[in-house]
Amino acid sequence: MDARRTTRTLLAGLATAALLAGSAGAASAAGASPGAEPAGDGARALCKRAPKVDRRIDRALKRLDAGKARRGSVARLQQRVDNAKEAGHNEIATFLQGRLDTRESLKKELQQRKKDLAGVETWCAKNDGGKKGSGKKGSGK
């Protein structure tokens, strides 16, 4: 068991090192310094990704709003907090309550992002998927 953990940790470290080395190599190959300002606001890329982001938000909200039988739901975690309090496990209840508070704030954050994303999708529809009015410097748009 301990050998598996060591191997897993070693592989995770190697993968992280490879990613860091690859991203540093790509940045230097592109000729851009890491602190350089972006050329635009990324509108076209955001417009392209908006439907996928919307699906991810919907999936997360669906999981959070599910009933007690669904892992990851607010209701299930609330039930666990209640069970810990009934059993007199105050430390467990306090820990789980912190997780519950975080999960409830995540739900509010995702609902706000969904509203914001709806505005982005409307803007994208009016601006040809971000091709019009991209906000690039010096383009005069």
Side-chain angles (χ1 to χ4, degrees):
M1 182 73 103
D2 196 31
R4 284 186 192 169
R5 182 176 293 157
T6 304
T7 304
R8 229 182 357 223
T9 304
L10 177 64
L11 290 175
L14 289 173
T16 303
L19 286 173
L20 290 174
S23 64
S28 64
S33 64
E37 292 185 28
D41 61 359
R44 189 179 303 179
L46 183 57
C47 288
K48 185 177 178 182
R49 286 213 31 87
K52 290 181 182 180
V53 172
D54 193 29
R55 284 192 298 272
R56 282 185 79 178
I57 292 172
D58 285 341
R59 214 171 34 239
L61 285 172
K62 183 179 177 184
R63 182 178 59 246
L64 290 169
D65 289 334
K68 294 176 184 177
R70 174 79 166 142
R71 294 179 79 186
S73 72
V74 172
R76 182 181 179 107
L77 191 52
Q78 180 63 57
Q79 182 64 47
R80 289 181 64 196
V81 169
D82 294 343
N83 291 345
K85 286 179 181 177
E86 287 177 20
H89 302 153
N90 295 331
E91 292 80 8
I92 303 297
T94 301
F95 176 78
L96 292 175
Q97 184 63 48
R99 288 181 58 194
L100 180 61
D101 294 341
T102 301
R103 196 166 292 174
E104 288 172 340
S105 69
L106 173 65
K107 182 178 171 182
K108 290 177 187 174
E109 176 77 21
L110 288 173
Q111 289 168 340
Q112 182 60 46
R113 284 187 187 182
K114 183 142 180 80
K115 290 177 189 175
D116 295 343
L117 190 62
V120 168
E121 289 175 329
T122 302
W123 183 91
C124 290
K126 290 180 183 176
N127 291 285
D128 192 24
K131 294 176 186 172
K132 293 182 185 175
S134 63
K136 289 187 178 180
K137 291 182 180 179
S139 64
K141 291 184 180 179

